Amino acid sequence: MAHHEVLSPLPGTFYRRPSPDAEVFAKEGAIVKVGDVIGLVEVMKQFSEVQADAAGKIVRFLVENEDAVEPGQPLATIETA
Amino acid sequence: MTVEIVKPGLATTIQDAGRPGYYNVGIPLSGALDQYSFRCANLLVGNDENAAVIECTLLAPELLFNVSAIVAVTGADATPRVNGSPMPRNESFAVKAGDKLSFDFMRLGARGYVAIAGGIDVPVILGSRSTYGLGAFGGFQGRKLAVGDKLPIGKASNTAKAGRKLTADLAMPLPKETELRVLPGLYFHRITDASADNFFADTWAVAPEADRIGYRYKQGRPLQWRERKQPFGAGSDPSNIVDAGYPYGSIQVPGGVEPIILHRDAVSGGGYAMIGTIISADMDKIAQMQPNYKARFVRVDMDQALAARGDYKARMDRVRKALA
């Protein structure tokens, strides 16, 4: 089983939900395609989508909702087929 | 003779040396936030050092060259790639028509500068090609760059060549923790002695909303203000004053909680007490701070501030000599 880490493209605050009372973009265990949104990073009052850059199963998120993240920080692990 | 935006990045704008002379009517200086890296980029490609460049913030763009050009990238540590192959930073290189220039994420620093020989030839507004986003003028159509924008490129000088290099000792430092020197005033007397001590003792972290207008810091202890009856025209909060002009680099602390340093797209005045001003020599350092980078504020006097300005100018002169 190969594992792929989704990295944060920029610094900011990581969110797993589109809004505080909405469902998470992706649950642990979910199957994702390349380009599926798995979270948001907020910086300079702008929200940037974090997309899965590999297809497979999200094994786990490596940061909590609302954690501060750095550019290049691993956000989630995807188990590729 | 254009460069096209394939991916815009987060907040990518055209900037130059800035637009001085109109702050009295509310139009700020603007221009590259890290003037040192901006000038280095131009000198590397044989441009006039004040030519317009592309300023990239936190997430760099992807560019398609419709013309062959000499390019240099300075500032933040984000590896440039031409058609996927890594290229050096702080060194001029050639790109051919049809090449794509992309970047890795910014490992360190917050602003990258892409200079193209000939400069970005957008219209000059009030003496500058800089973008002023709040005013929606200057730069490319008065806004940050978007997918499909085609940037006109000027004519390269005959000194433009690949392989011109800035030595490591002259590159912009990109620390995650830095010291910012402060000249106390004009309303420094409004905070208590204990708060003044705390302000300089605490470590402050850049807040995620920091931008070209103002850099907000958090995690230090809140400031206490000296008791007074608020004068007519000042708001009721003790951090309020009767409206006054805001200098670049001035530090306001709304509610006494989070200091905001005004930068080159600042508003020109308002009603928050300014407890001090970051010295001009340290303004470029702020431009390279990512959210959560740490700063300590260090108190200096005017002689020290002017000496630092002298050192800054001497370093810039060394760059000019080295790249001549």
Side-chain angles (χ1 to χ4, degrees), chain A residues 5 8 26 30 33 42 52 78:
Chain A
E5 284 183 337
S8 181
K33 308 186 296 293
E42 182 190 16
I78 293 177

Side-chain angles (χ1 to χ4, degrees), chain B residues 100-113:
Chain B
K100 261 188 192 170
L101 177 63
S102 62
F103 296 86
D104 291 354
F105 52 75
M106 290 188 187
R107 279 181 292 270
L108 292 169
R111 284 178 176 79
Y113 292 89

Side-chain angles (χ1 to χ4, degrees), chain B residues 19-20 32 36 61 94 99 161 257 324:
Chain B
R19 186 177 285 115
Y36 180 83
D99 282 351
K161 59 170 188 191
V257 183

Side-chain angles (χ1 to χ4, degrees), chain B residues 45 95 152 155 161 170-171 181 188 199 215 217 221 229 231 234 240 267 271 276-277 315:
Chain B
V45 298
V95 295
K155 193 175 162 351
K161 59 170 188 191
L170 288 176
R181 289 166 285 187
F188 189 67
F199 179 74
Y215 248 71
Y217 289 80
R221 282 167 281 184
K229 182 176 179 293
N240 290 149
V267 293
T277 306
R315 184 170 158 85

Side-chain angles (χ1 to χ4, degrees), chain B residues 14-19 31-32 35 38 50-53 127-130:
Chain B
I14 307 302
Q15 300 292 345
D16 63 8
R19 186 177 285 115
Q35 286 280 310
F38 149 74
N50 298 324
V53 306
S128 168
R129 293 186 169 86
S130 289

Side-chain angles (χ1 to χ4, degrees), chain A residues 3 7 11-12 17 20 23-24 26 30 32 34-35 45 52 54 58 60 68 73 78:
Chain A
H3 285 85
L7 308 181
R17 305 165 189 277
E23 275 296 304
V24 293
V32 292
V34 172
K45 301 167 192 163
I58 295 186
R60 85 191 167 93
Q73 183 173 337
I78 293 177

Side-chain angles (χ1 to χ4, degrees), chain A residues 7-13 41-48 68-73, chain B residues 10-11 57-59 105-107 109 111 144 176 208-212 290-293:
Chain A
L7 308 181
S8 181
L10 75 177
T13 307
V41 175
E42 182 190 16
V43 70
M44 286 169 44
K45 301 167 192 163
Q46 296 176 64
F47 291 89
S48 301
V69 295
E70 294 187 348
Q73 183 173 337
Chain B
L10 184 73
T57 310
L58 299 177
L59 180 68
F105 52 75
M106 290 188 187
R107 279 181 292 270
R111 284 178 176 79
K144 60 185 185 182
K176 288 185 166 184
E209 55 268 57
D211 62 14
R212 291 181 48 86
Q290 290 184 8
N292 299 311
Y293 278 23

